[in-house]
Amino acid sequence: MAAAAALKTPPTIETFGVVGAGLMASQLGLLFADKLRIPVLLSDLSSERISAAMHRIHAHLDTQERRGRIQKGEAAEIAGLIRGTTDLSGFRNCDAVIEAVFEDHAVKRSVFKQLEEYVAPDALLLTNTSSLSVTGMARGLKQPERVLGFHFFNPVAVLPLVELVRTAFSSDAAFTSACNLAQDLGKTAIPVADAPGFVVNRLLTRLFSEILAEIDKGGDPVAVDRSLESWGLPMTPLQLIGYIGPTVQRHISETLHRAYPDRFARSASLGAVAAAGLHGFFDEDGKVLPAALIPPPEPHEVDQNRIQLRLRGALAQEAQLILDGGVVASWDDIDRCMILGANFPPGGLTRLLRI
Ligand SMILES: NC(=O)c1ccc[n+]([C@@H]2O[C@H](COP(=O)([O-])OP(=O)(O)OC[C@H]3O[C@@H](n4cnc5c(N)ncnc54)[C@H](O)[C@@H]3O)[C@@H](O)[C@H]2O)c1
């Protein structure tokens, strides 16, 4: 691929770079190798983290092959495409790089600044941020026009949505390239404006914020968590926070609290779970972990109907504000985002607000 000019035409992606080798990055590396069948380079801060990611990838591929979901021999073929490094200079041959490092603006900016030193001028730079300003990450780079938000959802192999975030700097070539990439990966790209939490995490975090406020006020976590059971969501709110990772969710909640402090409260219980390094609120038997139980100020009966009613009002308000702010154009877009990115049942948010 020609490396002389800045990104004017969509580049052909022949080698993919992934910065970070954590929960999301390892799934992304696997997806790119599987769907695009091109070499993928994963980087992280330590070789231990890279080895752990490689281990997860190999274990997943072996299971897929054993269950007949991929052909015999394919596990080795796909795994053979993925290499790890702790040295970003190894990214010089990558035509596209996605970062999936900690949800921290300064860390992500520094990764992009370093990448610019190595990658070709026509390489695409993508961020998997869940909530942070993509414009802020692009600003000050030598070539901000090639930076886009390309936000996948966990589990990456299952959830088809990519929130595609274009900034005022982004070029048409970068946007077209990202649209083509989403299609090649079998994903549905929905363009969203560069607003905190975009669509899915803004709505999920509003939901978490309301649920956690009930727990922080002394409501029994198990009863509060079960109050939305009749909505048919794929997981309870606390289970979902465990799945996303309490530390990542705390970062997302912080971003939304900073942007909209009146509607997104800080949660003492989420803070305690994240600070204790726990993977969630519950132990293996479904009992609430003591570290998640901040001293209840006023233990009280949990009124699940009241919580449902309150949640409906909160989500209706947040969705309307998303539309008023032009993050997406229609209720249909919001529903598609929630179905494809958060596995909401058919009908999406609209149906939940009506039942
Ligand atoms: N967890 C989810 O469900 C989810 C879903 C969608 C998007 N995201 C986003 O993906 C990103 C990563 O989240 P995660 O859950 O995979 O986190 P994680 O903590 O599992 O992984 C982050 C990895 O980044 C590495 N890292 C940090 N700084 C680095 C640097 N300078 N260079 C190289 N590697 C570095 C860390 O060592 C760690 O292995 C975040 O932006 C998050 O918001 C997360």
Side-chain angles (χ1 to χ4, degrees):
M1 197 182 72
L7 199 150
K8 292 204 180 75
T9 52
T12 310
I13 299 173
E14 288 169 2
T15 305
F16 221 116
V18 183
V19 188
L23 176 70
M24 288 303 284
S26 51
Q27 295 182 69
L28 296 179
L30 183 55
L31 180 81
F32 301 146
D34 179 15
K35 299 291 182 198
L36 307 176
R37 296 296 162 111
I38 58 171
V40 174
L41 189 58
L42 280 182
S43 85
D44 207 302
L45 299 172
S46 72
S47 45
E48 288 75 25
R49 283 181 188 261
I50 290 167
S51 303
M54 290 297 191
H55 183 75
R56 285 196 297 278
I57 290 170
H58 284 234
H60 176 84
L61 284 169
D62 288 347
T63 309
Q64 294 290 92
E65 195 170 283
R66 238 188 358 265
R67 292 184 179 162
R69 294 200 181 129
I70 52 176
Q71 303 278 318
K72 224 173 164 24
E74 265 193 297
E77 186 194 328
I78 296 167
L81 290 167
I82 306 172
R83 285 187 307 114
T85 181
T86 51
D87 179 4
L88 279 188
S89 69
F91 284 75
R92 66 168 58 86
N93 294 324
C94 292
D95 309 301
V97 180
I98 188 164
E99 73 71 27
V101 301
F102 298 140
E103 186 69 350
D104 179 301
H105 205 261
V107 175
K108 288 179 187 291
R109 267 186 69 79
S110 125
V111 164
F112 277 146
K113 276 203 177 290
Q114 289 175 63
L115 279 172
E116 271 207 319
E117 300 300 317
Y118 299 114
V119 299
D122 57 353
L124 192 63
L125 296 183
L126 304 171
T127 168
N128 188 42
T129 182
S130 304
S131 61
L132 298 167
S133 165
V134 181
T135 307
M137 280 176 228
R139 184 175 290 121
L141 292 182
K142 286 182 220 149
Q143 289 178 245
E145 71 278 4
R146 52 158 150 192
V147 176
L148 292 163
F150 204 69
H151 180 216
F152 289 89
F153 293 82
N154 181 25
V156 171
V158 176
L159 293 174
L161 179 65
V162 171
E163 286 178 331
L164 180 51
V165 190
R166 188 175 185 157
T167 77
F169 305 117
S170 309
S171 67
D172 289 344
F175 186 75
T176 306
S177 184
C179 289
N180 293 343
L181 173 63
Q183 198 171 21
D184 292 346
L185 294 170
K187 299 292 179 193
T188 303
I190 298 188
V192 298
D194 190 14
F198 315 115
V199 173
V200 176
N201 279 292
R202 181 150 156 198
L203 287 166
L204 286 181
T205 302
R206 182 73 193 267
L207 186 154
F208 297 151
S209 170
E210 301 290 332
I211 289 288
L212 291 165
E214 295 287 338
I215 295 170
D216 290 353
K217 274 190 289 181
D220 170 44
V222 175
V224 172
D225 195 36
R226 286 192 183 145
S227 53
L228 305 183
E229 261 174 0
S230 62
W231 289 15
L233 299 177
M235 289 182 198
T236 67
L238 295 187
Q239 280 170 346
L240 187 51
I241 291 176
Y243 198 73
I244 293 167
T247 305
V248 171
Q249 184 53 50
R250 186 180 50 171
H251 282 300
I252 297 170
S253 298
E254 266 301 316
T255 304
L256 283 155
H257 172 74
R258 278 196 301 275
Y260 314 113
D262 298 346
R263 307 194 306 281
F264 293 84
R266 284 203 174 95
S267 161
S269 53
L270 176 61
V273 170
L278 300 174
H279 294 298
F281 285 71
F282 302 114
D283 66 13
E284 280 166 8
D285 303 321
K287 287 215 182 72
V288 181
L289 291 161
L293 288 171
I294 49 154
E298 252 180 72
H300 56 260
E301 273 300 295
V302 170
D303 179 346
Q304 295 185 329
N305 286 332
R306 183 187 56 77
I307 294 178
Q308 279 199 20
L309 213 64
R310 188 173 148 177
L311 254 296
R312 281 211 184 85
L315 292 174
Q317 181 198 37
E318 204 57 47
Q320 191 57 56
L321 289 166
I322 285 173
L323 294 175
D324 294 348
V327 183
V328 283
S330 66
W331 277 95
D332 186 49
D333 286 340
I334 290 183
D335 286 334
R336 287 201 310 137
C337 282
M338 298 314 284
I339 294 167
L340 301 176
N343 215 2
F344 269 34
L349 182 64
T350 315
R351 188 192 67 94
L352 294 182
L353 297 181
R354 280 207 206 103
I355 54 173

